[in-house]
Amino acid sequence: YATEVYREKVADYLVGLGFNEMMTNSITNAAYFSEEELQSMVKMLNSLSSELNVLRNSLFETALEVVARNLNHKNNSLRLFEFGKSYSTTGSAKYTEAEKLCIVITGNKNEYSWKQKSVSSDFYSLKGAVDAVLKVLGITPDSVEVLQVPKLDNHIVYKLNNQVIAGAGEVKKNILDKFGIKQPVFFAGLNWALLADIAAKQTKAVKELPKYPAVQ
């Protein structure tokens, strides 16, 4: 129940920041992944097609599919988020299902008008969104560290109690090329199950409102 309450709270907040929620298919294309990645992925026994034959191990590739589709239809400025599940296996019929949240930004921060020029989104646009989500949940990370990963440049991770609660970075050009994307894309993945659990366990304090209005 608490997870759903926090999910609605975060979704409403992101929509207020100008984001749109997306819903993608958990079944995706094995061609996106390396042989090493596929070893821990759940494969479909009766796949619908050669392009829908594995369960995703993160929300990353399915989010890039959405970005590519929108860009192909000239919708070039996107602020998207998704709550979804990822899947993995260690073999021997042992499967893991994880609740995740992803945030994706590409294109301009604002629309071009006669009053102002459009300004391109950047890594700090993404970091600001991640920081805002953590603030809404009342979570303050212990540290933010640089961590190199295969698919993202300038990648940082947020840690709390020695656990990674979120990661954010700019999608590498070779990955963008795979999806036919020709503009920068910024992606963040958050461990939603862990974040909701931390938020629910926190002690919440309420204090009385000031008796007198502020004087300026």
Side-chain angles (χ1 to χ4, degrees), residues 35-51:
E35 284 300 320
E36 186 180 355
E37 287 176 298
L38 288 170
Q39 288 177 12
S40 61
M41 294 181 70
V42 181
K43 298 164 187 68
M44 305 295 292
L45 292 176
N46 296 303
S47 58
L48 298 172
S49 72
S50 60
E51 295 181 353

Side-chain angles (χ1 to χ4, degrees), residues 82-103:
E82 179 181 17
F83 290 93
K85 292 180 179 179
S86 65
Y87 306 85
S88 62
T89 180
T90 55
S92 306
K94 291 183 179 179
Y95 300 97
T96 303
E97 183 178 288
E99 291 275 356
K100 299 291 180 66
L101 164 64
C102 77
I103 299 173

Side-chain angles (χ1 to χ4, degrees), residues 59-180:
L59 308 188
F60 181 74
E61 282 76 14
T62 48
L64 289 183
E65 285 182 329
V66 173
V67 170
R69 195 173 303 120
N70 274 273
L71 295 181
N72 287 338
H73 288 83
K74 308 302 180 186
N75 189 12
N76 296 324
S77 294
L78 305 168
R79 296 169 74 85
L80 305 168
F81 71 95
E82 179 181 17
F83 290 93
K85 292 180 179 179
S86 65
Y87 306 85
S88 62
T89 180
T90 55
S92 306
K94 291 183 179 179
Y95 300 97
T96 303
E97 183 178 288
E99 291 275 356
K100 299 291 180 66
L101 164 64
C102 77
I103 299 173
V104 189
I105 296 176
T106 188
N108 295 326
K109 294 180 184 179
N110 61 316
E111 294 297 324
Y112 177 84
S113 72
W114 63 274
K115 288 183 179 180
Q116 60 182 356
K117 293 181 179 180
S118 55
V119 179
S120 297
S121 298
D122 53 22
F123 172 76
Y124 296 101
S125 306
L126 178 70
K127 186 176 184 300
V130 175
D131 291 344
V133 168
L134 296 179
K135 189 174 182 180
V136 165
L137 294 171
I139 294 173
T140 303
D142 294 331
S143 65
V144 180
E145 304 171 12
V146 175
L147 178 68
Q148 289 190 346
V149 292
K151 298 179 182 181
L152 297 170
D153 284 324
N154 304 317
H155 182 255
I156 58 172
V157 290
Y158 295 73
K159 287 186 175 181
L160 182 64
N161 301 326
N162 287 323
Q163 292 179 294
V164 175
I165 55 175
E170 181 176 353
V171 182
K172 289 190 175 183
K173 188 178 183 306
N174 66 311
I175 304 295
L176 294 178
D177 289 343
K178 280 186 180 180
F179 289 85

Side-chain angles (χ1 to χ4, degrees), residues 210 212-216:
Y212 305 102
V215 177
Q216 294 184 352

